[in-house]
């Protein structure tokens, strides 16, 4: 469950993520550093929520907590990017982006890259597992969450 | 009876609906340039477009007393009012949100202001000089990004094509939409541009083989599925129906104009409740109710192409075809102004006329009602133009002749 032996999926030099200055999504980014997938869940009505916000969209409670969820999902949609729009990707070649849904967390959706052959066939509905990709040299250090087809 | 209809009926009886209350008295645009090739500064492009619209309307620019724009247009009403020497500025309005979702919303906002008596002559405008202020089609270059883009940019999702491709993939998967429908949208746009000297792609026809063999931008979008990047300015003069009737024997009425967003349509990281949507499902109901027409009454359609797949969604969600018959109905033959059953994007649209952030497609809808399009559809009474499919707030306007009011 790691791609780190072969380096990062996309080359270094892309814009890096950082937590919001008001702290709203800090628990997510802290979780990724510990290789845990954290999302929001309303402490009052139990609804999982993504993207993060201060307010539960289902019941408007401000009592929104962070929970660690099983890092598995299924492919909801995808794209294979051929035309680079960032200098760091200029000579990289195609890469796959997947939108995955988490059935055990109210089908909330997340975006990541699909590891493996960039020209692989992609099947909507396939089960995927999270792969945490550490960027210890980031400022601040950060970890991305990619996906790979389950059992691959 | 549908709750939304009951609400509308109540509004209509109180005389608050927009139907036929205002009109587009004039339209104007600058020369349309390839991205970065405008010889004018962006502000000058906007001024030129407004002056052209005033001349078209037959009004003195000093009669303008309101401005509406969208997508954080850099050319502010205060600066425009200064430049135009206005004695009084009574109304200014910015439609929130990025993308071109505001291109019909500005007509709604301008018409609402006029109908409310807030102003008499309101300009809806947009200026773009991407060469001077940065391109839409390029990714972020900042060292670190926070908030929503922190969840997309590091994975290589940064351009509009990359942000919207997965909705189209999902549409095709859920409803069996064929690439042929997307190709037909591209072919129709280029076909129409060949008769439109304003079009950036005038003299540059496109055939099916060229479309099919064009390079991938990001699957499922090929090069010709994606809008252009351009420089230019465009403006429309919105005033009361009464004033417009003084200016023209055949005023172009605003029959309806409506913004449209659905449940959590702005949810971060591709989490709207309904994903494979152009965002028009709800707004289209209000639109037709407000206009007092049905999809069958629509004579000609301008459907904003950020990407061809979004046009397919938009046409379905405006009731102009269905998920089931889209592959059969959306053919090049059916989308042509010369004889098609759903004449589409008759100026060449964002794909082949100019990416004026959609305002050019509102102007084309007006021209179709006036009868002076370069690809004129015969006997147009009802002309629909939508804007910004798939963005969190999209919009649509319907223009028409006084005949429609009965
Ligand atoms: Zn709740």
């Amino acid at each position: 469950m790691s791609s780190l032996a072969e380096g990062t999926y996309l080359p270094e030099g892309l814009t890096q993520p950082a937590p919001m200055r008001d702290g709203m999504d800090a628990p997510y980014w802290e979780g990724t550093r510990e290789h845990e997938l954290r999302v929001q869940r309303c402490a009052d009505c139990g609804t999982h929520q993504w993207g993060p916000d201060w307010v539960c969209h289902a019941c408007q409670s401000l009592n929104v907590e962070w929970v660690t969820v099983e890092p598995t999902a299924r492919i909801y949609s995808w794209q294979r990017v051929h035309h680079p729009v960032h200098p760091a990707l200029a000579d990289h070649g195609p890469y796959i982006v997947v939108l995955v849904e988490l059935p055990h967390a109210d089908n909330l959706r997340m975006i990541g890259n699909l590891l493996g052959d960039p020209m692989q066939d992609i099947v909507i509905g396939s089960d995927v597992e999270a792969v945490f990709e550490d960027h210890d040299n980031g400022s601040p250090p950060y970890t991305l969450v990619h996906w790979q087809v389950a059992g691959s | 009876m549908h709750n939304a209809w009951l609400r509308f009926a109540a509004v209509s009886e109180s005389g608050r609906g927009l139907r036929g209350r205002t009109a587009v008295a004039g339209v104007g645009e600058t020369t349309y340039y390839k991205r970065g090739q405008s010889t004018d500064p962006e502000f000058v492009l906007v001024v030129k477009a407004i002056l052209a619209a005033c001349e078209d309307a037959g009004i003195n620019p000093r009669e303008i007393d309101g401005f509406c724009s969208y997508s954080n247009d850099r050319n502010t009403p205060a600066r425009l009012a200064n430049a135009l020497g206005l004695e009084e500025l009574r109304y200014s309005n910015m439609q929130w949100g990025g993308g071109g979702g505001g291109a019909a919303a500005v007509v709604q906002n301008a018409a609402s202001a006029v109908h409310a008596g807030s102003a008499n002559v309101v300009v809806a405008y947009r200026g773009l000089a991407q060469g001077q202020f940065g391109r839409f089609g390029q990714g972020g270059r900042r060292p670190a990004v926070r908030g929503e883009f922190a969840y997309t940019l590091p994975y290589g999702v940064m351009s509009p094509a990359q942000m919207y491709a997965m909705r189209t993939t999902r549409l095709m998967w859920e409803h069996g939409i064929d690439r042929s429908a997307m190709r037909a949208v591209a072919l129709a746009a280029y076909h129409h541009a060949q008769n439109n000297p304003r079009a950036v792609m005038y003299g540059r026809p496109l055939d099916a083989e060229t479309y099919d063999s064009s390079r991938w931008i990001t699957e499922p979008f090929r090069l010709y599925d994606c809008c252009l990047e351009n420089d230019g300015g465009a403006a429309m003069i919105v005033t009361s129906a009464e004033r417009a009737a003084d200016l023209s024997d055949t005023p172009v009425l605003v029959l309806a104009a409506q913004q449209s967003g659905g449940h959590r349509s702005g949810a971060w990281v591709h989490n709207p409740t309904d994903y494979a949507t152009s965002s028009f499902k709800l707004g289209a109901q209000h639109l037709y109710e407000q206009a007092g027409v049905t999809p069958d009454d629509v004579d000609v359609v301008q459907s904003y192409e950020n990407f061809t797949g979004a046009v397919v969604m938009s046409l379905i969600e405006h009731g102009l075809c269905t998920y089931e018959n889209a592959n059969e109905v959306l053919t090049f033959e059916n989308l042509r102004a010369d004889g098609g059953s759903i004449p589409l994007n008759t100026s060449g649209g964002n794909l082949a006329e100019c990416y004026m952030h959609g305002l050019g497609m509102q102007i084309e809808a007006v021209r179709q009602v006036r009868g002076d399009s370069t690809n004129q559809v015969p006997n147009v009474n009802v002309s629909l133009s939508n804007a910004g499919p798939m963005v969190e707030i999209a919009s649509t306007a319907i223009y028409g002749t006084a005949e429609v009011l009965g």
Side-chain angles (χ1 to χ4, degrees), chain A residues 10 14-21 24-25 28-29 49-52 57 66 75-87 89 95-99 101 107-113 119 124-125 139-140 142-146, chain B residues 135 137-159 161-171 173-174 215-221 263-264 267-276:
Chain A
L10 292 177
L14 285 176
T15 304
Q16 80 153 75
M20 293 174 70
R21 295 188 192 281
M24 197 257 281
D25 64 352
Y28 171 83
W29 294 108
Q49 172 159 287
W50 203 250
H57 73 266
W66 288 86
I75 296 174
Y76 186 81
S77 193
W78 61 275
Q79 64 181 317
R80 188 176 354 249
V81 180
H82 295 256
H83 174 69
V85 297
H86 193 286
L89 296 168
Y95 58 93
I96 299 170
V97 177
V98 285
L99 180 63
E101 58 179 352
N107 291 328
L108 61 80
R109 303 182 199 122
M110 294 185 165
I111 281 178
N113 295 122
M119 298 310 292
I124 288 176
S139 177
Y142 63 98
T143 296
L144 297 180
V145 183
H146 296 310
Chain B
R135 293 173 57 185
Q138 289 194 329
R141 302 289 163 83
R142 288 163 292 173
V145 62
R146 299 170 199 272
E148 180 175 15
F149 289 135
Y151 299 95
T152 61
L153 261 63
Y155 301 101
V157 178
M158 52 190 95
S159 72
Q162 294 160 359
M163 287 188 260
Y164 293 110
M166 293 192 291
R167 285 202 192 217
T168 301
T169 300
R170 186 74 192 181
L171 170 87
W173 185 83
E174 282 185 11
R215 62 191 171 91
W216 289 115
I217 298 301
T218 180
E219 295 175 51
F221 296 147
H263 186 243
R264 285 173 57 72
W268 282 12
V269 206
H270 297 222
N271 275 277
T273 304
D274 186 4
Y275 183 65

Side-chain angles (χ1 to χ4, degrees), chain A residues 42-47 56-61:
Chain A
C42 177
D44 287 327
C45 78
T47 301
C56 168
H57 73 266
C59 76
Q60 288 67 56
S61 168

